[in-house]
Amino acid sequence: MTRVLLGLGSNIERNAHLCAGLDALAGFLHDLHCSPVFESAPVGIKSGPFFNLVVSAHTDLPLTELDRRLKFIEADNGRYAPNRKGLPLDIDVLLYGDLVGNFDGLVLPRAEILKNAFVLWPLALLVPQAVHPASGRSFAELWRTAQIDQQLWPVAFQWRAAELTPVELLREFPAPV
């Protein structure tokens, strides 16, 4: 079994699409754990705000098959619909074990880890001691030293009757007014 870290995001019917994505992932991944959910201003596109989270799980699927299944989940949620407005569901492989390099066009570890707070902060909370295979530094350390200028804040979010975002985190980092 290989440990994978996946990033999920949505800016259309965010709760529904993230829950649908998590339900689909739970159908074939093992030992699935979710980070808190964050709301963020869009980065690189003009759209409404996003909800993002990171998932840690184990899989027996090869990387190419995992990526193929993720594309099917995205498609089932309208990602590739011709008339879509916004991004219903985006699921990215952030890490697949300790792989580093280009694998049939999939570059690992995903560059967004070090560029986007909505990826790095959830990683630092979910798997703080896990090590970024290219930098050799833990996600907690990378977050502590990050200088990323992006607006994001934790939001309350439920999946399968479980609160993914701890109340303490919501209190410590309230949404802007």
Side-chain angles (χ1 to χ4, degrees):
M1 296 289 262
T2 303
R3 180 180 183 179
V4 295
L5 295 170
L6 308 174
L8 283 77
S10 175
N11 74 345
I12 301 173
E13 298 175 33
R14 302 174 298 182
N15 287 45
H17 287 296
L18 287 181
C19 285
L22 290 170
D23 286 342
L25 293 173
F28 68 92
L29 295 177
H30 308 278
D31 196 26
L32 187 115
H33 295 279
C34 300
S35 76
V37 176
F38 289 84
E39 184 171 25
S40 65
V43 174
I45 64 170
K46 291 183 181 183
S47 75
F50 277 81
F51 277 3
N52 293 96
L53 76 148
V54 169
V55 169
S56 170
H58 288 86
T59 185
D60 53 2
L61 297 173
L63 176 59
T64 53
E65 177 61 18
L66 172 65
D67 192 49
R68 188 179 74 76
R69 288 197 189 188
L70 300 180
K71 299 294 181 240
F72 281 131
I73 296 168
E74 291 175 337
D76 286 346
N77 282 273
R79 165 81 189 253
Y80 307 107
N83 298 325
R84 77 172 167 91
K85 303 218 183 321
L87 190 56
L89 184 63
D90 182 40
I91 308 176
D92 295 322
V93 178
L94 303 173
L95 290 178
Y96 183 90
D98 290 330
L99 289 183
V100 176
N102 187 324
F103 304 90
D104 294 322
L106 188 61
V107 177
L108 296 175
R110 193 152 176 105
E112 284 82 353
I113 293 172
L114 301 177
K115 293 179 182 175
N116 291 315
F118 60 81
V119 178
L120 187 54
W121 193 3
L123 278 169
L125 293 171
L126 182 64
V127 289
Q129 301 311 313
V131 173
H132 185 282
S135 76
R137 297 168 60 200
S138 74
F139 290 116
E141 179 185 353
L142 287 167
W143 176 245
R144 239 185 346 270
T145 60
Q147 296 184 357
I148 304 171
D149 185 24
Q150 292 173 355
Q151 297 177 348
L152 76 155
W153 50 92
V155 293
F157 192 94
Q158 275 193 346
W159 177 57
R160 295 188 173 177
E163 289 292 339
L164 298 188
T165 308
V167 173
E168 303 79 31
L169 190 64
L170 295 167
R171 283 191 197 120
E172 188 175 350
F173 300 97
V177 181

